[in-house]
Amino acid sequence: MPANSKWVAEPAATNASPSLRIWWIGAFSRHRLARIGFAGLVLIAVLSLLGPILSDPDVQQVNLGRMDEAPSSVHPLGTDQLGRDLLWRVMEGGRVSLWIGLIATILATVIGCGYGMVSAMSKSWLDRIMMQILDAALAIPILLLVIVFQAFGDSGVFKLILTIGLVSWMGTARMMRNECRRLLHTTFIQSAITAGASPSRIALTHLLPNALGPLMVVVTVGIGQAILLETTLSFLNLGVPSTLPSWGNLLGNGMSAALGGVWWVVVFPGFAIVATVSCINLVGDGLRDIVNPKQREKD
Amino acid sequence: MWRYTLQRIAGVLSQLLLISLCAFVIMKAAPGDPVASLVGGREFMTEDDHKRVSHNLGLDQPLVAQYGIWLGRLLNGDWGRSIRDGRDVGGVVWHGLKATLVLTGISAIAIAVIAIVGGYWAGIRAHTRLDYAISGFALISFATPAFWLGLVLILLFSVTLDLLPSSGQSSLGRDENLVDYLQHLFLPVTCIVLTHAGPYIRLVRGSIRDVLATEYYRAARARGLPERILVWRYLLPNALTPFATWMGLTLPLLVGGTFIVEWVFGWPGIGRLFLQAAIARDYPMLMASVLTTGVLVIAGNLLADMLIARLNPRFRRTSAGE
């Protein structure tokens, strides 16, 4: 049992009272690791969004007079192969990587929620078939699917987001289906069905809001995984076009230089990825402790 | 038991079918006209020639029939030739499969050992410094991209310290020997293990904590059973069943991670073949490596299921009773 399981025992955790939202924020802010993760994430997001605007335009220029300079007080993370300031490049890359991770996850969440809810509300034979398809899809390595998708046609940011979204919805669908199946047995939804509420009304006003807790956990962790997927693809030159800086592109472009001794162009963007995804996962852990899906899986 | 076995077989067959369909769709969706490419372009053929060649190659038949013919050829061992270098795809893939099996197998065993030992101690000593160290490692491990750690390991151990080889399976110009092979294996395995062990450690830690809180474990402890029996008969068997299940379910993730590591370290496995084929748009090779990977994952899942059945007597009894 996690140390904070005592919160779950509080009645507020299961009652959908108006104070639920306030309780959520309170519980989240009391979770120390989640607080650290959230603070780190805010810092990274602010740096990525504001950093490129605030930094000196001169360091953004290609300048062959200062190629591959080691970290110094002028360039805290050094400069890259074309003499651009690496700190600025990492912040720019963060903006691209964070946006792609976020939008791709939203797409995956919409698909996964739809699939999971339809499956849960369908007749049992259809539900079983849909889950069988999901099982088969989960047996294929995601990375394989993504690379195959990306190998067709040109690469572009829009297509990359679409690809990541299209392969990352399966976990959400599984979670959503199980959660909705559980909720469909509860008295308040049964009475709504008896009162004649339409399936879409049941789905949108009863199922979705009540499944929001576990959904948020899956979505949070999903953003981190989407970022990792994006960096991996971009590193392989199958992701973000190389004209845009993303963390994966910085690593892919810096690889050969790094093997020649310019270690900073590879080490620092990597640290940025590890820090970001760690923070996201800390927030996800905090949410999980609050929602405690373990309690629910027993149903 | 029979019912379970039949269900399992049906599941495996439907998965195989889906994967072969995926591979077929890849091949068909590939841009370009295969008939025209035989003579170097559409402008070198008349309309009649094009029809005749299409007919001879069976390309004018309905897609379902083409799929059937293609599947039949696959089962007969005819996997086609690589577009890029004309090598026999079946032979190349078979060669790569062996290298991948070694890398994935050793990594999986190492991950299992680290997850069980780490998770056990983190669970037993929860909320101590040891637990924080192990859990912290797990958190960072889950957030580290395998390709990046691979680069860092190469930078550190091959470029800076010059201790270990950075790529390939054996050194050039030297006879194949075990020490050389293990030296080449060390960095890729380390990279896979460090970037994939995290979630498993956390899972084992959680299960250990769950079992510690159960009444049967507390009762056994209260009866004064020796530590050895408590750990080996009560704690570990109960805590490791979810681990084995999870290991089987997440095998696709491990295989995907192995592919990237093969790429970074130049390990001549399926993953490298697959990525080379994807980048060079070599469709027969791409299709073959997707298919082989799918079969590899399904086989791994079956293996995990058999392991779970062995670990969990409850499973044996209920399934036998059916």
Side-chain angles (χ1 to χ4, degrees), chain B residues 103-121:
Chain B
L103 187 60
T104 319
I106 293 180
S107 304
I109 292 168
I111 287 173
V113 170
I114 288 185
I116 292 170
V117 173
Y120 172 79
W121 282 108

Side-chain angles (χ1 to χ4, degrees), chain A residues 15-299:
Chain A
N15 282 356
S17 61
S19 63
L20 184 64
R21 191 175 303 149
I22 300 160
W23 175 84
W24 258 78
I25 296 168
F28 188 78
S29 61
R30 257 173 293 160
H31 196 285
R32 191 162 53 101
L33 288 176
R35 220 164 48 208
I36 295 173
F38 190 71
L41 214 52
V42 169
L43 182 74
I44 292 167
V46 168
L47 276 180
S48 306
L49 290 177
L50 291 182
I53 302 170
L54 295 180
S55 63
D56 180 6
D58 171 60
V59 301
Q60 308 175 9
Q61 297 301 316
V62 172
N63 184 344
L64 298 183
R66 52 165 196 239
M67 278 162 54
D68 295 335
E69 273 179 27
S72 64
S73 55
V74 190
H75 303 290
L77 305 185
T79 61
D80 70 358
Q81 306 91 295
L82 295 173
R84 288 167 295 194
D85 181 55
L86 195 62
L87 179 63
W88 170 70
R89 293 280 288 169
V90 171
M91 290 191 294
E92 277 273 300
R95 207 176 52 182
V96 174
S97 291
L98 288 177
W99 274 120
I100 290 177
L102 199 65
I103 299 173
T105 310
I106 291 173
L107 181 65
T109 308
V110 171
I111 301 175
C113 276
Y115 193 93
M117 287 201 293
V118 167
S119 181
M121 293 174 74
S122 297
K123 294 208 163 55
S124 72
W125 63 270
L126 186 59
D127 177 46
R128 208 174 300 154
I129 291 177
M130 285 178 83
M131 284 300 113
Q132 191 79 45
I133 293 174
L134 198 62
D135 277 342
L138 278 169
I140 305 172
I142 284 183
L143 195 73
L144 217 74
L145 274 182
V146 177
I147 289 172
V148 169
F149 280 154
Q150 288 296 102
F152 289 122
D154 316 311
S155 54
V157 175
F158 180 71
K159 191 182 159 215
L160 178 71
I161 291 175
L162 209 64
T163 307
I164 297 178
L166 283 178
V167 298
S168 320
W169 55 273
M170 284 89 101
T172 314
R174 161 78 50 86
M175 186 286 296
M176 206 56 193
R177 182 257 174 199
N178 292 342
E179 189 65 16
C180 290
R181 277 262 138 172
R182 188 188 71 84
L183 285 168
L184 282 172
H185 290 299
T186 56
T187 331
F188 75 97
I189 290 189
Q190 282 296 325
S191 53
I193 296 173
T194 318
S198 67
S200 60
R201 187 176 164 81
I202 302 263
L204 294 177
T205 62
H206 294 296
L207 290 181
L208 194 59
N210 282 292
L212 219 53
L215 187 63
M216 272 172 68
V217 177
V218 178
V219 170
T220 312
V221 178
I223 296 174
Q225 295 308 299
I227 291 177
L228 285 182
L229 203 53
E230 179 274 316
T231 53
T232 306
L233 285 173
S234 299
F235 169 75
L236 292 169
N237 230 337
L238 290 166
V240 181
S242 52
T243 45
L244 262 182
S246 89
W247 285 334
N249 273 348
L250 293 185
L251 290 172
N253 295 339
M255 189 165 117
S256 52
L259 295 180
V262 191
W263 52 268
W264 51 92
V265 292
V266 155
V267 170
F268 291 124
F271 279 152
I273 299 171
V274 176
T276 309
V277 181
S278 294
C279 286
I280 290 176
N281 289 341
L282 281 177
V283 172
D285 284 353
L287 291 175
R288 177 169 296 137
D289 284 347
I290 295 168
V291 177
N292 200 3
K294 240 188 185 155
Q295 211 66 34
R296 291 161 190 242
E297 273 167 20
K298 284 177 187 158
D299 292 313

Side-chain angles (χ1 to χ4, degrees), chain B residues 210-228:
Chain B
D210 284 348
V211 176
L212 286 178
T214 56
E215 291 185 349
Y216 64 79
Y217 180 80
R218 285 155 176 252
R221 176 148 228 134
R223 287 212 307 275
L225 291 180
E227 196 69 22
R228 182 171 49 84

